[in-house]
Amino acid sequence: MIHGAVVMVWLVLCAAQDVRQRLLDNRLTLGVALLAMIYLFWTGTTWLGASTGQGLLAFFLALLLTLPGYAVGRLGAGDVKLLAALALVSDAKYLLWSFVGAAVANLVWLILAPTLWPHMNQHLKKHVGYLAPGVSKKQPFAPFLLVGFSVAWFWIH
């Protein structure tokens, strides 16, 4: 249970940085990926308890899911590293459900944002400016991945 909470805190930090700066710091992505790999090979399990094989399968699935989006300019390098790090701390089931949840959350936001944005508090708008409708063709990915992982963690756990 505590391991999932630590992953949630990490994703909250990533999401906060992504909506404010449209940037994911390498210490948050590559740092966690490195720690996850060390933990994976040291203990033989991922942080959330999956086997080494399941963790590595999730890692390759993460690359398979994100590199095409990066190649066409829909995902940034930080997004690719974020999903790869999430794969190394979890397994394919968490990764896939998180990714699907992120896609659904992004779609819901794209539909609701034009209606909700004018009614939001100015202070909040200032802090989450990159989520504004029409600001960019590339929405921040980390907040939606946080939503997807939260739903997956609640559902699977």
Side-chain angles (χ1 to χ4, degrees):
M1 180 91 169
I2 191 75
H3 298 298
V6 170
V7 174
M8 289 288 289
V9 168
W10 167 62
L11 286 173
V12 165
L13 291 172
C14 290
Q17 185 178 37
D18 204 14
V19 298
R20 289 182 177 184
Q21 300 173 358
R22 194 59 192 105
L23 174 76
L24 288 169
D25 191 357
N26 281 337
R27 287 175 284 189
L28 285 174
T29 55
L30 291 178
V32 168
L34 179 63
L35 290 174
M37 285 184 87
I38 291 169
Y39 186 86
L40 181 66
F41 291 117
W42 185 273
T43 65
T45 63
T46 66
W47 182 249
L48 295 181
S51 70
T52 302
Q54 290 173 337
L56 293 176
L57 172 66
F59 176 74
F60 289 115
L61 280 173
L63 294 179
L64 185 68
L65 290 171
T66 56
L67 287 177
Y70 176 72
V72 297
R74 298 296 295 168
L75 290 174
D79 302 330
V80 174
K81 293 180 276 189
L82 176 67
L83 205 63
L86 178 63
L88 288 170
V89 301
S90 62
D91 62 15
K93 183 171 30 173
Y94 276 105
L95 176 80
L96 293 174
W97 281 112
S98 299
F99 192 76
V100 168
V104 170
N106 194 345
L107 181 64
V108 167
W109 178 251
L110 289 173
I111 292 168
L112 295 179
T115 305
L116 295 176
W117 193 260
H119 303 292
M120 288 174 59
N121 181 315
Q122 287 294 91
H123 183 70
L124 180 62
K125 283 183 186 179
K126 185 176 110 180
H127 288 293
V128 296
Y130 285 105
L131 284 175
V135 169
S136 173
K137 290 183 181 182
K138 286 192 327 185
Q139 289 283 314
F141 182 66
F144 301 113
L145 188 63
L146 169 64
V147 171
F149 179 80
S150 300
V151 171
W153 187 44
F154 177 75
W155 189 264
I156 294 170
H157 193 69

